[in-house]
Amino acid sequence: MVEKVADFLAEGEADYEYMMVESEHSAMAAALGVSMMGARAFTATSSQGLMYMAEMLNYTSGGRHPVVMVNANRALAIPWNIYGDHSDAMAMRDCGWIMLFAESGQEALDMVIQAYKIAEDKDVMLPVMVNVDGFTLTHTYDVVDIPEQELVDAYLPSFDTANKMCLEHPKTLCHSVGPDYYTEAKIAQQEAFEVAKAKIVACDEEFEAMFGRGYGGLIEEYCCDDAEYALVAMGGTVGTVRDVVDELRAAGEKVGLIKIRGFRPFPEEYFQSVKSKFKAMGVIDRSLCFGVGGTVFGEVKSALYGSEMGLKGFVLGLGGRDISVDMIKEMFAELKECPAGEYSDQPIFVGRRW
Amino acid sequence: MGKRAFLSANEAAAYGVKLAKPDVVSAYPITHKPLWWKRLRISWQKAKQIMNI
């Protein structure tokens, strides 16, 4: 992706500074430094690269510097595997970054633009990680609408912040504190995430009004109005589930899809609002929280505390293994057999070979 | 009115970056070729067009 970003510069279509650095850790350190000077910063990474920048992710979020990064979601070693899943992003889920997941190339483009507007909002000031599924999205082609620059300029104002190095108004940035200040700094971050929930929705609605494309903010329900069984998914898998829902709906089955677009902040209020809406809900995870189960499943189960719905946590698509239409149908079939109030305490591995 | 193109999500996201007008992009691209190489390649392509070769 950054190769294409560099192409724009080489071809004279862009005028940003391009810093080639020696590692992902340095890439994020540089982005942080840029943002500390009050400038707009971008970087991108994937998989082990995200792990390597881990230290700087918390510096950036704790310092409240609104860097935007695209992460091409890929598996983590070992076994070393360059293919797609959500292990990398999920390992960094508590690093203080807003985390959004794109379903398509179009959404990836739009999400980057929205991400800056969310991140740089004066009431938010948090970095945003735009997650794009490795290979199934990053390396597959689709028709994409590229908005006009003038329209994007009208949507996204230039970055202006007081949280920067300034000789006229000197201040300390990214500083150390003792126990008497640390807690309040973390509370301030938590409060910003609560504010971000509404801002993500508002930025998406404004985007839709201007560009004609909206994505639902944190959550999108698909065919859920009268659904009895629903699958929760994130990223590129959503498109496949959407197709299966269409097929099963045509056959008269009351199934639906819940797309999580914003994983951090987590749309807890949404899940609390649908505690008794479905007979059963399944969660598709493309990562494992070892010793617990599916990472997203754990969050959904927590948000649904007290629900009488059946709840199942499916884990599949690890290390790039294909998520097929038949697998999704299999999960819907399992949900139909799930008694009310029952939930899976162990991850259900779909498509395992042995 | 924007334009339509056949893009990978990598390329689509890159267009999003260009349109968002960052001041600085920092990157450690494993497969990257230096900017001077890209510019040399573009210059060579233009030269070939001019010389019709």
Side-chain angles (χ1 to χ4, degrees):
Chain A
M1 204 210 85
V2 288
E3 290 81 356
K4 185 68 179 173
V5 173
D7 282 347
F8 291 136
L9 192 60
E11 289 157 12
E13 296 179 29
D15 61 355
Y16 33 70
E17 295 292 326
Y18 197 98
M19 291 178 69
M20 284 271 286
V21 293
E22 74 281 11
S23 73
E24 288 86 352
H25 187 282
S26 299
M28 185 50 66
L32 171 60
V34 167
S35 196
M36 288 171 74
M37 295 304 294
R40 184 173 283 169
F42 176 81
T43 189
T45 191
S46 182
S47 184
Q48 304 301 133
L50 185 67
M51 298 300 101
Y52 196 19
M53 34 166 91
E55 182 188 21
M56 298 316 300
L57 295 181
N58 286 63
Y59 267 86
T60 306
S61 61
R64 310 296 296 275
H65 295 292
V67 173
V68 170
M69 168 172 65
V70 170
N71 178 48
N73 298 111
R74 282 175 30 209
L76 295 177
I78 268 177
W80 194 44
N81 171 304
I82 63 165
Y83 299 101
D85 70 23
H86 292 165
S87 300
D88 53 1
M90 290 296 111
M92 294 293 107
R93 66 189 184 276
D94 295 327
C95 68
W97 282 58
I98 290 173
M99 295 171 71
L100 307 176
F101 284 78
E103 177 187 346
S104 64
Q106 182 71 68
E107 189 171 10
L109 187 158
D110 297 342
M111 195 176 269
V112 169
I113 297 166
Q114 288 189 13
Y116 278 106
K117 194 172 179 77
I118 297 161
E120 294 170 0
D121 186 292
K122 286 182 169 46
D123 296 326
V124 177
M125 291 296 283
L126 293 168
V128 177
M129 186 188 302
V130 173
N131 289 280
V132 183
D133 280 5
F135 292 97
T136 48
L137 290 181
T138 58
H139 290 64
T140 56
Y141 281 71
D142 203 351
V143 177
V144 174
D145 182 70
I146 304 168
E148 287 197 348
Q149 185 66 63
E150 293 74 22
L151 200 56
V152 176
D153 290 345
Y155 174 80
L156 181 65
S158 57
F159 181 35
D160 178 34
T161 180
N163 187 31
K164 64 179 178 182
M165 289 184 177
C166 176
L167 292 175
E168 286 75 34
H169 306 284
K171 63 181 65 157
T172 308
L173 298 171
C174 289
H175 48 291
S176 301
V177 298
D180 36 355
Y181 286 101
Y182 187 84
T183 299
E184 283 66 27
K186 295 297 120 181
I187 290 170
Q189 275 179 268
Q190 169 68 8
E191 289 172 347
F193 270 93
E194 287 303 311
V195 172
K197 288 180 178 176
K199 296 286 185 181
I200 291 168
V201 174
C203 288
D204 188 48
E205 287 174 348
E206 186 181 341
F207 190 91
E208 183 173 13
M210 292 181 69
F211 297 87
R213 292 185 297 276
Y215 299 95
L218 289 165
I219 281 279
E220 181 202 341
E221 280 191 337
Y222 184 69
C223 297
C224 282
D225 285 350
D226 64 341
E228 295 177 346
Y229 307 99
L231 273 176
V232 179
M234 291 197 314
T237 313
V238 169
T240 315
V241 179
R242 207 181 284 275
D243 286 346
V244 173
V245 166
D246 287 343
E247 187 182 332
L248 295 179
R249 279 270 165 185
E253 298 193 37
K254 292 187 174 179
V255 295
L257 158 71
I258 299 163
K259 166 183 170 178
I260 295 181
R261 187 166 176 266
F263 182 72
R264 286 287 184 271
F266 190 74
E268 188 176 1
E269 293 82 358
Y270 166 78
F271 285 100
Q272 287 171 348
S273 75
V274 295
K275 268 182 181 178
S276 53
K277 182 169 179 173
F278 310 104
K279 287 183 178 175
M281 182 185 290
V283 180
I284 295 175
D285 263 293
R286 293 196 69 189
S287 70
L288 260 176
C289 182
F290 295 111
V292 178
T295 319
V296 183
F297 178 66
E299 309 266 343
V300 172
K301 188 168 72 172
S302 171
L304 289 174
Y305 179 74
S307 170
E308 290 301 314
M309 275 192 297
L311 188 60
K312 285 186 178 288
F314 303 104
V315 177
L316 60 160
L318 300 183
R321 184 168 295 182
D322 192 29
I323 299 176
S324 68
V325 164
D326 285 343
M327 285 177 181
I328 293 165
K329 287 178 180 173
E330 179 185 331
M331 288 184 274
F332 273 122
E334 282 214 35
L335 290 182
K336 287 178 197 165
E337 303 299 319
C338 181
E342 183 179 293
Y343 69 90
S344 51
D345 54 358
Q346 291 293 320
I348 303 165
F349 292 97
V350 179
R352 64 185 293 174
R353 297 177 60 207
W354 63 83
Chain B
M1 186 67 184
K3 67 173 183 181
R4 308 198 91 195
F6 195 53
L7 301 174
S8 70
N10 265 342
E11 293 166 343
Y15 270 99
V17 174
K18 186 179 84 159
L19 289 163
K21 293 182 176 173
D23 298 295
V24 181
V25 173
S26 59
Y28 172 62
I30 296 171
T31 57
H32 188 61
K33 293 181 177 62
L35 209 55
W36 64 261
W37 188 93
K38 286 174 180 286
R39 286 182 170 145
L40 189 65
R41 176 173 56 84
I42 291 166
S43 299
W44 172 240
Q45 286 167 348
K46 285 178 180 171
K48 281 202 299 185
Q49 283 176 350
I50 292 167
M51 293 186 287
N52 198 24
I53 56 172

